[in-house]
Amino acid sequence: MSTKDLFATRTSRMKASEIRELLKLLDQPGIISFAGGIPDPALFPAEGFSAAFQSALGPESQAQALQYSVSEGYAPLREWVVDHMREIGIECGLDNILITSGSQQALDYLGKLYLSPGDTALVGWPTYLGALAAFNAYEPRFDRLSINGNRRAAEYNAAAGEGAVKFAYLSPDFANPTGETVDLRGREALLDLADELNCAVIEDGAYQALRYDGEAIPPVLALELARKGAIEACRTVYCGSFSKTLSPGLRVGWVVAAKPVISQLVLMKQAADLHSATINQMAIDQVARASFDTHIPMLRRVYGARRDAMLDALATYMPDGVEWTKPEGGMFIWVTLPKGTDGADLLARALDSVKVAFVPGQAFFPDGSGVDTIRLSFSNSDEATIREGIRRLGDVLRA
Ligand SMILES: Cc1ncc(COP(=O)(O)O)c(C=O)c1O
């Protein structure tokens, strides 16, 4: 018997993330990377965090900062989240909030909460790779959720008689990997579909604050609240994150949902890690209160200009037959290559010949389709580098 024979069946579906493996290669000098969907570290509110950690470790709060704490999360931060959710159209109370270690932990817990082996999870085709990884551990089937631009505006293609649909997962604002936004009609249609299927909706708001143009569209949970009157009647679970706005390294995110959902997630958190690091929550709370409202407009300006630079460069340097999305926010542009071009082959050639990196799109499809797609991130390079990288990529594609 080999070591692996002892592993549970769920591990057979766990694969090393292509993105993480790739990120390991990117330390080489001279690489222009459009691969990781990560914030620019030069934009972190580092001074604010330095002051916040010092104050958390000061005589008045050090005992609390360094001690065990409650699983629900640091109460002042949960209060900040209640106010923030109100600002984006979602009325909820403290008991509707759980602080998690990044929204990734929330996705894992939600997989654990809803999915028995063989149940169906509806996801976009493509969708966030980390969500597929989180849900995969609970051995679901994935079915394709289509929103926008089709007959019913939201539908899925489950084979009759297969596992119960437990939830639809989506990132309605500036999705990873496509950068696309679900319009108001699509969000309403999704709620209709969820009511019809009697399933939950997992709304991933990781990029929600990073809109560079166009009008904000109410979150799915806000629309459901408008229909049903109270969060306790809602089936949508909202996952938020400070990773793309303040700092991913501190690992602080949150979940907003009806109380029975939060209570069950609290039990999971107690079993998994008791609570997220208190000192990190205190620091996030202090920095969010002091500067969230000024920091976000700055991020929007900087990332918006980078998005524009990448769109301009694509228009200038891409050969005929290449298509791409025009996101209104977030960190990604999704590129469809000319027929017959393999994104993974292109990456190998681009790394080797012009030192440009990106993520081949196939990894974002539950069924391994999407061979002719790639994801480009514009968040972590300045405009001149973006232009140069896209010029080089155009050369490789033409070669
Ligand atoms: C759509 C989406 N959701 C969730 C996450 C996880 O973020 P975190 O756990 O840092 O909050 C990411 C990270 O890239 C993401 O792109």
Side-chain angles (χ1 to χ4, degrees), residues 1-9 11:
M1 183 182 263
S2 79
T3 311
K4 287 189 175 171
D5 291 337
L6 296 173
F7 294 173
T9 52
T11 61

PDB file of all heavy atoms in Angstrom, residues 1-9 11:
ATOM      1  N   MET A   1       0.857  -1.215   0.000  1.00  0.00           N
ATOM      2  CA  MET A   1       0.000   0.000   0.000  1.00  0.00           C
ATOM      3  C   MET A   1       0.884   1.252   0.000  1.00  0.00           C
ATOM      4  O   MET A   1       1.803   1.359   0.817  1.00  0.00           O
ATOM      5  CB  MET A   1      -0.896  -0.027   1.245  1.00  0.00           C
ATOM      6  CG  MET A   1      -1.849   1.143   1.280  1.00  0.00           C
ATOM      7  SD  MET A   1      -2.852   1.146   2.778  1.00  0.00           S
ATOM      8  CE  MET A   1      -4.356   0.370   2.232  1.00  0.00           C
ATOM      9  N   SER A   2       0.616   2.175  -0.923  1.00  0.00           N
ATOM     10  CA  SER A   2       1.428   3.391  -0.963  1.00  0.00           C
ATOM     11  C   SER A   2       0.815   4.437  -0.031  1.00  0.00           C
ATOM     12  O   SER A   2      -0.342   4.311   0.383  1.00  0.00           O
ATOM     13  CB  SER A   2       1.485   3.934  -2.382  1.00  0.00           C
ATOM     14  OG  SER A   2       0.297   4.620  -2.664  1.00  0.00           O
ATOM     15  N   THR A   3       1.597   5.440   0.271  1.00  0.00           N
ATOM     16  CA  THR A   3       1.109   6.517   1.138  1.00  0.00           C
ATOM     17  C   THR A   3      -0.202   7.064   0.606  1.00  0.00           C
ATOM     18  O   THR A   3      -1.142   7.318   1.359  1.00  0.00           O
ATOM     19  CB  THR A   3       2.149   7.663   1.154  1.00  0.00           C
ATOM     20  OG1 THR A   3       3.405   7.079   1.412  1.00  0.00           O
ATOM     21  CG2 THR A   3       1.809   8.716   2.173  1.00  0.00           C
ATOM     22  N   LYS A   4      -0.264   7.212  -0.721  1.00  0.00           N
ATOM     23  CA  LYS A   4      -1.447   7.855  -1.310  1.00  0.00           C
ATOM     24  C   LYS A   4      -2.709   7.011  -1.196  1.00  0.00           C
ATOM     25  O   LYS A   4      -3.812   7.522  -1.261  1.00  0.00           O
ATOM     26  CB  LYS A   4      -1.168   8.195  -2.773  1.00  0.00           C
ATOM     27  CG  LYS A   4      -0.211   9.367  -2.905  1.00  0.00           C
ATOM     28  CD  LYS A   4      -0.126   9.834  -4.330  1.00  0.00           C
ATOM     29  CE  LYS A   4       0.735  11.072  -4.411  1.00  0.00           C
ATOM     30  NZ  LYS A   4       1.036  11.450  -5.775  1.00  0.00           N
ATOM     31  N   ASP A   5      -2.529   5.671  -1.060  1.00  0.00           N
ATOM     32  CA  ASP A   5      -3.701   4.807  -0.913  1.00  0.00           C
ATOM     33  C   ASP A   5      -4.485   5.129   0.357  1.00  0.00           C
ATOM     34  O   ASP A   5      -5.655   4.778   0.482  1.00  0.00           O
ATOM     35  CB  ASP A   5      -3.281   3.334  -0.894  1.00  0.00           C
ATOM     36  CG  ASP A   5      -2.774   2.892  -2.252  1.00  0.00           C
ATOM     37  OD1 ASP A   5      -3.146   3.538  -3.255  1.00  0.00           O
ATOM     38  OD2 ASP A   5      -1.988   1.936  -2.308  1.00  0.00           O
ATOM     39  N   LEU A   6      -3.808   5.767   1.303  1.00  0.00           N
ATOM     40  CA  LEU A   6      -4.490   6.113   2.555  1.00  0.00           C
ATOM     41  C   LEU A   6      -5.330   7.376   2.430  1.00  0.00           C
ATOM     42  O   LEU A   6      -6.177   7.664   3.264  1.00  0.00           O
ATOM     43  CB  LEU A   6      -3.451   6.327   3.668  1.00  0.00           C
ATOM     44  CG  LEU A   6      -2.616   5.107   4.061  1.00  0.00           C
ATOM     45  CD1 LEU A   6      -1.531   5.514   5.043  1.00  0.00           C
ATOM     46  CD2 LEU A   6      -3.506   4.036   4.680  1.00  0.00           C
ATOM     47  N   PHE A   7      -5.073   8.132   1.387  1.00  0.00           N
ATOM     48  CA  PHE A   7      -5.759   9.438   1.273  1.00  0.00           C
ATOM     49  C   PHE A   7      -7.246   9.249   0.952  1.00  0.00           C
ATOM     50  O   PHE A   7      -7.617   8.299   0.250  1.00  0.00           O
ATOM     51  CB  PHE A   7      -5.132  10.298   0.163  1.00  0.00           C
ATOM     52  CG  PHE A   7      -3.709  10.732   0.435  1.00  0.00           C
ATOM     53  CD1 PHE A   7      -2.987  11.392  -0.551  1.00  0.00           C
ATOM     54  CD2 PHE A   7      -3.089  10.500   1.658  1.00  0.00           C
ATOM     55  CE1 PHE A   7      -1.682  11.793  -0.328  1.00  0.00           C
ATOM     56  CE2 PHE A   7      -1.781  10.901   1.888  1.00  0.00           C
ATOM     57  CZ  PHE A   7      -1.070  11.550   0.896  1.00  0.00           C
ATOM     58  N   ALA A   8      -8.073  10.172   1.413  1.00  0.00           N
ATOM     59  CA  ALA A   8      -9.516  10.125   1.141  1.00  0.00           C
ATOM     60  C   ALA A   8      -9.785  10.364  -0.346  1.00  0.00           C
ATOM     61  O   ALA A   8      -8.971  10.981  -1.039  1.00  0.00           O
ATOM     62  CB  ALA A   8     -10.220  11.202   1.973  1.00  0.00           C
ATOM     63  N   THR A   9     -10.961   9.897  -0.797  1.00  0.00           N
ATOM     64  CA  THR A   9     -11.279  10.034  -2.233  1.00  0.00           C
ATOM     65  C   THR A   9     -11.252  11.489  -2.685  1.00  0.00           C
ATOM     66  O   THR A   9     -10.926  11.786  -3.823  1.00  0.00           O
ATOM     67  CB  THR A   9     -12.672   9.452  -2.557  1.00  0.00           C
ATOM     68  OG1 THR A   9     -13.617  10.030  -1.643  1.00  0.00           O
ATOM     69  CG2 THR A   9     -12.694   7.949  -2.449  1.00  0.00           C
ATOM     70  N   THR A  11      -9.233  13.731  -2.252  1.00  0.00           N
ATOM     71  CA  THR A  11      -7.923  14.258  -2.662  1.00  0.00           C
ATOM     72  C   THR A  11      -7.633  14.002  -4.135  1.00  0.00           C
ATOM     73  O   THR A  11      -6.807  14.676  -4.722  1.00  0.00           O
ATOM     74  CB  THR A  11      -6.785  13.623  -1.833  1.00  0.00           C
ATOM     75  OG1 THR A  11      -6.796  12.210  -2.050  1.00  0.00           O
ATOM     76  CG2 THR A  11      -6.934  13.926  -0.351  1.00  0.00           C
TER      77      THR A  11
END
